[in-house]
Amino acid sequence: MNQPLAGKRIVGNWKMNGDLAANAQLLRALVDGLQQAPTSHVGVCVPAPYLSQAAQLLAGSPVCWGAQDVSAHASGAYTGEVSAHMLRDFGVRFVLVGHSERRQHHAESDALVATKAQQALAAGITPIICVGETLQEREAGLTESVVRRQLAAVIHANGACTSEVWVAYEPVWAIGTGHTATPEQAQQVHAVLRAQLRAAVDRADRVPLLYGGSMNASNAAALLEQADIDGGLVGGASLKGADFLSIIASANNAAATY
Ligand code: 13P
């Protein structure tokens, strides 16, 4: 399912932002700005009610669309939940799983995240597994053990299928704060994740490793140049067409030197 690792991946996470009018403007700006197919793979993860709008406006464009969460259950009495099968009906290419905001505000455990990844994979949707440490964990020297534990749960539950996931390293202290990890800090953790995947999974090098956390038009190029940073998961800057396009342009430049 994953393409071989060529080009970078730039995925926007709109979080709980947008409305029909603003989305249409943003998506049109994106499609217009990408008249020529970008070297990089581009996508946006929109709130579930807007998946059909994204499908309509992005069909036939170089931009894929995704969701921000998926149920751990296939169907049934789970009020408010959205299944992977339902996402599939809207042409969803990928889904964020285990974003730190869900781990934090919805008490999502490593095991639940792993089950959600399983549901997505079974429906042919690529789960983007989000991992990352809090500031306290970093300051306590726990960064490596936290991200390894979070990824291990996914590997344990999904075995060989883990080669079909994407992983996003998003240090919690860098999300929405303007405090981006330095390229060296991010690369260091990506190298840990890469080594963990290589040790556990065949074809581990198919798994793109994205960085997320205050990525913007100014810092994207330096981050995307790092050996083990295959792309970016972009929050705030993905809501501004010009900024997101500028990040994509940085990714295209970085991809050209791949
Ligand atoms: P920001 O880019 O706004 O820091 O958000 C990052 C993020 O959480 C993407 O999933």
Side-chain angles (χ1 to χ4, degrees):
M1 193 188 349
N2 286 348
Q3 282 117 6
L5 259 194
K8 302 278 178 178
R9 272 86 172 143
I10 299 296
V11 177
N13 173 11
W14 288 4
K15 310 194 179 183
M16 198 173 72
N17 292 293
D19 56 40
L20 283 174
N23 302 346
Q25 206 175 9
L26 181 54
L27 293 174
R28 291 207 176 99
L30 205 51
V31 172
D32 287 349
L34 296 173
Q35 287 297 355
Q36 290 183 321
T39 326
S40 301
H41 306 267
V42 178
V44 285
C45 292
V46 306
Y50 299 124
L51 284 171
S52 94
Q53 184 189 25
Q56 266 171 27
L57 293 179
L58 297 177
S61 84
V63 184
C64 301
W65 56 97
Q68 299 174 8
D69 185 33
V70 63
S71 177
H73 306 281
S75 68
Y78 300 102
T79 303
E81 301 251 305
V82 176
S83 73
H85 175 77
M86 293 170 187
L87 296 180
R88 190 74 213 155
D89 268 349
F90 289 91
V92 161
R93 165 82 178 82
F94 35 60
V95 60
L96 303 181
V97 173
H99 191 282
S100 64
E101 287 151 16
R102 295 212 57 89
R103 292 181 191 260
Q104 188 185 347
H105 304 307
H106 300 269
E108 292 198 0
S109 66
D110 295 336
L112 183 76
V113 170
T115 306
K116 289 185 169 196
Q118 248 171 348
Q119 286 291 331
L121 287 167
I125 297 171
T126 300
I128 302 180
I129 316 293
C130 303
V131 301
E133 82 287 5
T134 63
L135 185 59
Q136 291 89 322
E137 288 165 340
R138 172 162 282 264
E139 287 175 349
L142 296 173
T143 299
E144 196 170 316
S145 65
V146 168
V147 298
R148 284 178 59 86
R149 187 202 73 223
Q150 291 171 332
L151 182 57
V154 172
I155 295 171
H156 177 72
N158 292 280
C161 293
T162 306
S163 65
E164 304 297 332
V165 312
W166 297 10
V167 175
Y169 169 55
E170 298 204 305
V172 178
W173 48 271
I175 295 178
T177 58
H179 299 300
T180 322
T182 64
E184 295 71 27
Q185 283 174 321
Q187 165 59 28
Q188 200 175 16
V189 177
H190 281 232
V192 166
L193 296 169
R194 185 83 78 200
Q196 184 180 6
L197 284 164
R198 281 190 181 140
V201 186
D202 283 346
R203 302 187 302 162
D205 288 353
R206 290 160 59 94
V207 178
L209 302 181
L210 279 52
Y211 168 79
S214 297
M215 184 180 267
N216 59 37
S218 318
N219 60 31
L223 287 159
L224 293 167
E225 269 170 14
Q226 300 299 310
D228 291 301
I229 300 187
D230 304 314
L233 182 55
V234 185
S238 73
L239 297 170
K240 300 176 199 140
D243 290 19
F244 196 52
L245 284 166
S246 166
I247 293 172
I248 294 165
S250 298
N252 289 341
N253 289 339
T257 57
Y258 223 42

